[in-house]
Amino acid sequence: MRILKLFSILFIIFFNSILAEAQTIKPSAVKKEMIRVADWQIEHFREAYTKKKPHHIADWTNGALYVGMVKHAETTKKNKYWKWLRSIGNEQNWKLHRRPYHADDHAIGQMFIELYRKYGDPKMIKETQKSFDFIIENPSKEPITLDDYKHLERWTWCDALFMAPPVCAKLSNITGDTKYSDWMMGEFEATKQHLYDFDENLFYRDNSYIGKLAHGNKIFWSRGNGWVFGGLTLLMDEYAEGSKEYEYFKDIYLKMAKKLIEIQTPQGHWAMSLLSQDIYPTPETSGTSFFTFGLAWGINNGLLDKATYLPHIEKAWKSLCGHITKDGMLGYVQPIGAAPGKAWADKTEVYGTGAFLAAGAEIYKMLKK
């Protein structure tokens, strides 16, 4: 028995030493890069990126930035980031964007709810709750197909699964009214049945890519799947482990996570067309940031094996940090689009920053454990 006990102790020491050796990223270095990127983004917030003029403060692009900035504020514990987010809410009068049914225009609601959780001011969520009450009472009758962008009132493109569903889950959580969650679960399943490839465990961006091949491979857009994967973590955060909702999202999440580490490039990023890294060798940091965020979250929440997934997370984080300019701008963010394309070292976008900050927050938490 003594020999067996000694062997067990030596094995644990050996295993922990392997993890320690693998864990070459330091928490302080992670936080430093997060602050550099966040500060650069705030300083350049009202500049134009993909478009010729700055995004509206309630636009989906900025909605994704705010998700990451909330996590950054929680991680750094610096009040200046909370003040900045609150100033956005006040400027927008705590209202969602202009299109009542469009998922993109709901994304900013995630930030409103997180600020409500911090400050407890009912005005921060009043308009968001009212908007979803209207949608649920007057559901769209459009089909679940995109059809040349005619149908945008339902979640007919995979990006939408990041934008709107977490708002519904959060609303149910803070109000105690399950109607938001119940409605969301039905809509999410409709989109999943439409866009999820059960063989590849990835999502098509929209129905225009279903059944199409490029260079002999199915077309799965990196950032589109990043939207889904990151969104799954935001959803699971709102449900108790073991609940039917948690288990539903967990099933999709685990299948995607397994697939993602199989197709990560040797350089650490994910190709813009996930199954065609030889055709798309250019780094792309928005999709890679979302995947890194989601994988680190999985370790932090006990869903992914650290020994298996940590090397992939480290490789991805080092790749991301290698594309930050000396001024703090995250480069190689693919411009606004809906398919694999091009990215450049000197071009960025606010949603890329948001995804990067979310990834950094989860990695920091993982390393501090």
Side-chain angles (χ1 to χ4, degrees):
M1 283 295 291
R2 287 183 178 179
I3 295 175
L4 182 60
K5 187 176 181 180
L6 178 62
F7 176 79
S8 298
I9 293 171
L10 290 173
F11 177 77
I12 291 170
I13 292 172
F14 175 71
F15 180 73
N16 286 338
S17 70
I18 290 175
L19 283 182
E21 187 176 335
Q23 218 167 267
T24 58
I25 302 173
K26 303 300 180 186
S28 58
V30 173
K31 187 185 285 189
K32 180 180 177 181
E33 295 291 23
M34 290 174 67
I35 290 171
R36 287 207 311 129
V37 171
D39 288 353
W40 183 92
Q41 190 64 76
I42 289 173
E43 183 181 348
H44 298 269
F45 178 60
R46 299 312 296 147
E47 294 181 8
Y49 299 97
T50 305
K51 297 183 177 180
K52 293 181 180 179
K53 61 181 182 179
H55 304 302
H56 191 283
I57 60 169
D59 191 60
W60 64 269
T61 50
N62 285 320
L65 169 64
Y66 307 146
V67 169
M69 197 66 77
V70 164
K71 293 183 179 296
H72 176 67
E74 291 171 341
T75 300
T76 61
K77 297 180 171 54
K78 289 182 179 292
N79 193 49
K80 71 173 185 176
Y81 299 117
W82 289 114
K83 286 178 64 178
W84 183 76
L85 288 165
R86 195 167 184 172
S87 73
I88 299 294
N90 283 323
E91 185 178 346
Q92 183 60 18
N93 293 317
W94 305 100
K95 292 181 179 180
L96 302 181
H97 207 11
R98 56 189 176 83
R99 296 167 292 187
Y101 287 96
H102 201 302
D104 286 357
D105 289 357
H106 301 155
I108 193 175
Q110 296 188 54
M111 184 262 278
F112 294 162
I113 293 171
E114 292 308 315
L115 288 178
Y116 168 77
R117 282 173 162 162
K118 181 171 177 62
Y119 296 106
D121 188 343
K123 76 179 180 185
M124 294 175 170
I125 60 166
K126 180 182 177 181
E127 294 299 325
T128 299
Q129 187 175 356
K130 187 188 298 184
S131 295
F132 275 91
D133 285 343
F134 173 82
I135 294 169
I136 292 169
E137 291 165 8
N138 303 275
S140 171
K141 294 180 173 57
E142 287 190 352
I144 199 66
T145 54
L146 195 60
D147 295 339
D148 296 324
Y149 287 86
K150 292 178 183 176
H151 304 126
L152 291 166
E153 292 186 354
R154 296 182 68 196
W155 303 337
T156 54
W157 67 110
C158 72
D159 319 23
L161 298 181
F162 178 94
M163 310 297 176
V167 181
C168 298
K170 290 174 189 291
L171 280 174
S172 278
N173 214 341
I174 62 175
T175 65
D177 192 336
T178 62
K179 71 177 182 180
Y180 306 105
S181 175
D182 293 342
W183 174 80
M184 177 270 291
M185 293 297 294
E187 288 297 290
F188 197 107
E189 174 63 9
T191 301
K192 177 190 171 186
Q193 290 299 325
H194 181 49
L195 298 180
Y196 185 64
D197 187 301
F198 287 83
D199 294 322
E200 299 293 349
N201 293 316
L202 296 169
F203 280 78
Y204 293 101
R205 195 274 175 174
D206 56 64
N207 59 279
S208 67
Y209 297 95
I210 299 173
K212 289 186 178 180
L213 298 178
H215 310 287
N217 295 320
K218 295 176 182 177
I219 306 167
F220 296 110
W221 181 36
S222 177
R223 186 164 67 240
N225 279 274
W227 288 122
V228 177
F229 195 60
L232 289 170
T233 73
L234 300 175
L235 285 160
M236 284 187 284
D237 274 339
E238 301 300 322
Y239 295 105
E241 291 183 34
S243 66
K244 65 178 182 180
E245 294 89 355
Y246 186 91
E247 294 301 316
Y248 172 84
F249 295 121
K250 175 181 156 184
D251 178 66
I252 304 170
Y253 170 85
L254 290 176
K255 289 173 180 174
M256 289 189 74
K258 183 175 183 294
K259 181 69 176 186
L260 288 171
I261 63 169
E262 292 172 0
I263 57 177
Q264 185 180 20
T265 69
Q267 295 78 25
H269 64 272
W270 277 267
M272 281 183 267
S273 186
L274 290 173
L275 303 185
S276 299
Q277 57 180 263
D278 54 332
I279 307 299
Y280 292 91
T282 305
E284 202 288 302
T285 56
S286 62
T288 296
S289 290
F290 278 123
F291 295 141
T292 308
F293 159 49
L295 292 174
W297 181 94
I299 289 178
N300 289 336
N301 287 272
L303 296 187
L304 299 180
D305 175 61
K306 190 172 185 179
T308 302
Y309 284 86
L310 178 59
H312 294 277
I313 294 167
E314 283 209 320
K315 188 189 294 186
W317 182 252
K318 289 175 181 176
S319 173
L320 289 169
C321 291
H323 302 309
I324 301 171
T325 68
K326 64 179 182 179
D327 296 328
M329 185 196 82
L330 179 67
Y332 281 113
V333 178
Q334 185 188 358
I336 292 172
K342 295 181 179 181
W344 296 267
D346 60 346
K347 284 185 169 50
T348 194
E349 260 293 0
V350 286
Y351 47 76
T353 298
F356 176 85
L357 294 175
E362 289 297 330
I363 291 174
Y364 182 82
K365 187 187 301 182
M366 178 184 69
L367 297 177
K368 292 290 283 185
K369 281 188 174 183

